[in-house]
């Protein structure tokens, strides 16, 4: 199978490329990062195009792809994206539109996979208050974003969905929880806290009660492995499908998806740090929040039910948050030490 990954030098794109090459797939991809400075500079067999997705042309592809994974998330940082709304909307929608147009004009037989967000596209608190219960999110729950970043991701989903219907394309939208792992961006919350712990610095934790669904990168890659092997069964022209590879297998015990508050991640890292002979000290800052995490003075709350995806694929997350964060802590120590 021939797989093209936009944003191949990003966290998801590079992890996917490394994983898929190890499986023997033909892999190519593009990014705006100079190859020598990218996460993929050491990947033998990767065909790399140094170019923005917005400017991709059919001639840039080394072959007609069977699958295009659009991981060119122009903005994957919610605070920065919300501070620059016009740039965010253009970046996140123009890349998606370009991929849809390339498929329509040149690669109509390819399957398009759009890795959307789980945490960013939900959050409108009024739904939560409708019957006094937490909103239960399934694969069929419409996006209800509470931030510009979430709106741009939800809009890109609709663009792909509409492209599938209008042009008879094969589209799979995947909603991922906030992913983490030792190769992740160091400004993501778990990675930042681990880095502070390794360096022996006190961490100032904004909005400790904010809730988020975290997913370990090994579980996310396992999802893609199964999905790719079953694409012919799952993806049909003109019938877009939404799946979710979000989730974990519990907090400390293997007891199913656990939606975590920020301070609970901090407590886990404090526990794990001691196992590596380190400490982690943090100061909660309850009055300091990020856009989209708090609505009308209250943190967003939700539950999840992704039984549809898991039944269809026979997949579910294997790692608890403790297990994933422990591997991440150890991996980051090695990464920092060189």
């Amino acid at each position: 199978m021939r797989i093209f990954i936009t944003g191949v030098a990003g966290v998801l794109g590079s992890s996917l490329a490394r994983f898929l090459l190890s499986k023997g797939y033909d892999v190519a991809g593009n990014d705006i990062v100079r190859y020598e400075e990218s996460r993929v500079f050491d990947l033998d067999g990767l065909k790399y195009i140094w170019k923005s997705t917005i400017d991709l042309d059919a001639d840039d592809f080394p072959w007609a792809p069977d699958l295009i994974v659009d991981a060119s998330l122009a903005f994957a940082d919610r605070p920065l994206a919300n501070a620059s709304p016009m740039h965010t909307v253009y970046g996140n929608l123009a890349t998606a539109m370009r991929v849809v147009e390339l498929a329509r004009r040149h690669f109509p037989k390819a399957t398009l996979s759009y890795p959307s967000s789980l945490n960013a596209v939900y959050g409108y608190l009024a739904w939560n208050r409708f019957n006094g219960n937490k909103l239960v999110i399934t694969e069929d729950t419409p996006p209800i974003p509470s931030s510009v970043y979430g709106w741009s991701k939800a809009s890109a989903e609709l663009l792909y969905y509409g492209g599938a219907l209008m042009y008879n394309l094969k589209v799979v939208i995947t909603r991922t929880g906030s992913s983490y792992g030792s190769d992740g961006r160091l400004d993501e919350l778990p990675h930042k806290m681990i880095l502070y712990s390794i360096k022996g610095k006190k961490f100032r934790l904004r909005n400790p009660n904010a809730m988020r669904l975290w997913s370990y990168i090994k579980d996310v890659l396992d999802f893609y492995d199964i999905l790719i092997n079953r694409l012919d069964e799952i993806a049909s022209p003109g019938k877009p499908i939404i799946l979710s590879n979000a989730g974990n297998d519990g907090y400390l015990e293997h007891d199913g998806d656990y939606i975590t508050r920020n301070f609970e991640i901090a407590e886990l890292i404090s526990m794990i740090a001691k196992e590596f002979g380190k400490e982690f000290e943090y100061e909660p800052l309850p009055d300091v929040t990020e856009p989209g995490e708090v609505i009308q003075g209250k943190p967003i709350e939700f539950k999840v039910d992704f039984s549809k995806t898991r039944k269809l694929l026979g997949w579910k997350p294997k790692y608890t948050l403790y297990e994933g964060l422990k591997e991440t802590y150890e991996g980051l120590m090695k990464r920092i030490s060189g």
Side-chain angles (χ1 to χ4, degrees), residues 290-310:
E290 293 182 0
E293 288 191 334
V294 174
I295 306 295
Q296 297 173 350
K298 293 185 177 181
I300 296 163
E301 295 191 4
F302 60 94
K303 296 178 181 178
V304 296
D305 178 3
F306 301 135
S307 53
K308 176 181 174 181
T309 295
R310 296 176 186 183

Side-chain angles (χ1 to χ4, degrees), residues 81-92:
N82 290 330
S84 302
M86 295 296 290
H87 202 32
T88 299
V89 170
Y90 177 75
N92 283 347

Side-chain angles (χ1 to χ4, degrees), residues 108-175:
K109 295 182 179 179
T111 300
L112 309 183
S113 174
Y114 179 64
S116 185
S117 170
L118 187 282
N119 293 295
V121 300
Y122 295 108
Y124 185 48
L125 200 64
W127 274 47
N128 301 11
R129 292 177 174 174
F130 185 76
N131 59 7
N133 298 317
K134 292 180 183 177
L135 171 66
V136 178
I137 297 172
T138 73
E139 297 88 343
D140 300 319
T141 306
I144 41 175
S146 57
S147 67
V148 172
Y149 174 59
W151 180 87
S152 71
K153 297 294 293 179
S155 298
E157 280 191 17
L158 289 173
L159 193 154
Y160 270 98
Y161 207 94
L165 297 176
M166 286 189 293
Y167 307 130
N168 208 38
L169 300 175
K170 292 185 285 187
V171 167
V172 179
I173 295 166
T174 59
R175 291 180 180 152

Side-chain angles (χ1 to χ4, degrees), residues 206-221:
R206 297 185 294 180
N207 199 13
N209 287 310
M211 298 183 73
R212 190 173 293 189
L213 184 61
W214 290 95
S215 304
Y216 189 35
I217 189 63
K218 286 186 178 180
D219 280 326
V220 175
L221 294 175

Side-chain angles (χ1 to χ4, degrees), residues 78 189 204-211 261-263 284-290 292-294 298-300:
R78 185 163 55 187
L189 182 63
R204 303 178 78 213
L205 179 61
R206 297 185 294 180
N207 199 13
N209 287 310
M211 298 183 73
R261 296 187 186 276
N262 287 346
F263 80 86
L285 302 175
D287 296 326
V288 181
T289 64
E290 293 182 0
E293 288 191 334
V294 174
K298 293 185 177 181
I300 296 163

Side-chain angles (χ1 to χ4, degrees), residues 97 226 231 274 299 333:
M97 187 71 253
I226 296 171
L231 269 183
K274 289 181 172 63
M333 284 198 301

